[in-house]
Amino acid sequence: MRAAIILIGLVVTSSAVAQTVTGPQGEVFGRRVLARQLSDPWELTYGPDNHLWLTEAKGYRVSRLDPATGTKTVLLDLSPERQFPRYDRTADSLDGGKPWPQGGLMGLALHPQLLQGQPYVYLAYLYRFAGAGQRGKGGAPNYGGYFFTTRVVRYEYQAAAQTLTHPVVLCDTLPGSSDHNGGRLLIAPVGGKDYLFYSIGDLGAGQFDNGGRPNHAQQPSHYEGKILRFNLTPDADAGPADQWLPNDNPYGAARHQSAVWSIGHRNPQGLAYAVVGGAGHMYESEHGPYSDDEINLIEPGKNYGHPLVLGYNDGNYDGLAASVSDRATLPGPWYTTYPLIGSEKANAQAMGATYRDPIKTLYPNTNAFLKDFFIKTKRHAEAPEWPSEAPSSLAVYTGAAIPGWQNSLLLPTLKHGKLVRLRLNATGTRVVGDTLMYFKAPVRYRDVALSPDSRRLYLATDSASVTSGPSKEDPKGTSCKGCILEFTYQRGGSPAPAPARPAPAAPRPVGAGGAGPRRPARVVAH
């Protein structure tokens, strides 16, 4: 049975000092605006220095924000590294209509020992556009796509001077696009050692103006549609590029190392790691196409299905594809380079033991609804709206300060401006209970960060209400442009229900052999 969805709007009580917001289970939060008019804040991280670290996607700045005072200090301006203009600020008559990429300066990750002898800050940003010197839009013919390139770089934090210096490139050949760049960085342990993970989308290959671009999410030899893993410090390999690639990555080979950790992702903008039930897990959120925004448990060497299985392996995309267009010059029955999905079940079976279903999908629309949508879109008729959230990031709440919140996934969303809370089971391997929604407002929430005492949540909002893709018109206005919002828990809330006791085992017949079949455990490297 599908979980109920409980939503409480932004109930605000204004005063000269503060505002309060009430959540769906009676939680009362104080609300405060820490910063405004940032240039599309993308990453928001609470650092060991008790400051918020943030990146501005279009401003190409890295800053520290004092949550006590709201004072912002710019540590680094990467604008000189961007080898293409601010197309979002240039008239199409001047630049030919060239696109700003989805993102820009995106992920940021702080070394766990940032203030203890390892002053490293890792950044990911798009720096080159192949079409910058071309006339017109700069894309490949017949909707063949816009080709950008992304860097992942390590900087050193100079605390006294408040700057980032000594850049070292981990990789500067990552493919990029105008769409589905992913862009999230995360440091997480594997086997007791910390590594750097990067989420990269399928670059929109098969959709919109990238509709004729080949999709490589299922091909381990390409970095599109993957979770990648890098070393935090170089190893002893001879090749400089190989020094940043762990030798035990699952898709590496003796003569060719690879950063690929998992495959089959669409647009993974959320990555988070947490210990739940005594085991460490990496969680990921990604945008679905016309349904099925996904939450995944990430394991090395596993295949998460895109673009052959969307959401659960439930057949709702049978006979369809991961996108559709009305451009008859593109291949296939749905005018896209996304492959035709004959049967999700057959595709999952072909992937074999490496295939993984999501632990949760949002709004898995029926095959009938999707087929009607596809037919109308192909005919250039008015297609119906579809329910989705467009999850832009992900965090795991493991604290105990807010009743009932412990071991919950938190998803900020772009399409309808809310924070979604999903409670995990005792082992952290499944979503249980209702889908709860908080802080609804006419904004696009881009990222979320948590304070160490777990009483304060920080949410970043986009500067504009327009982006590429299906969420571009929602919301149609924004109430706080480029803001950092602080929500402080004050009182109220309901404890989580106690886990249900397992049913007693049926008596085993006398003389029966070993135990019956057991559901295999999902093992996550940590």
PDB file of all heavy atoms in Angstrom, residues 4 280 378:
ATOM      1  N   ALA A   4       0.995   7.224   2.932  1.00  0.00           N
ATOM      2  CA  ALA A   4       0.253   8.476   2.884  1.00  0.00           C
ATOM      3  C   ALA A   4       1.210   9.646   2.799  1.00  0.00           C
ATOM      4  O   ALA A   4       2.348   9.570   3.242  1.00  0.00           O
ATOM      5  CB  ALA A   4      -0.613   8.605   4.132  1.00  0.00           C
ATOM      6  N   GLY A 280      27.185   1.446   8.020  1.00  0.00           N
ATOM      7  CA  GLY A 280      27.286   2.646   7.206  1.00  0.00           C
ATOM      8  C   GLY A 280      26.641   2.449   5.854  1.00  0.00           C
ATOM      9  O   GLY A 280      26.796   1.398   5.223  1.00  0.00           O
ATOM     10  N   LYS A 378       4.387  13.654 -28.365  1.00  0.00           N
ATOM     11  CA  LYS A 378       4.878  13.350 -29.707  1.00  0.00           C
ATOM     12  C   LYS A 378       4.053  14.080 -30.771  1.00  0.00           C
ATOM     13  O   LYS A 378       4.590  14.535 -31.797  1.00  0.00           O
ATOM     14  CB  LYS A 378       4.840  11.840 -29.931  1.00  0.00           C
ATOM     15  CG  LYS A 378       5.386  11.391 -31.271  1.00  0.00           C
ATOM     16  CD  LYS A 378       5.345   9.877 -31.396  1.00  0.00           C
ATOM     17  CE  LYS A 378       5.805   9.425 -32.774  1.00  0.00           C
ATOM     18  NZ  LYS A 378       5.777   7.946 -32.907  1.00  0.00           N
TER      19      LYS A 378
END
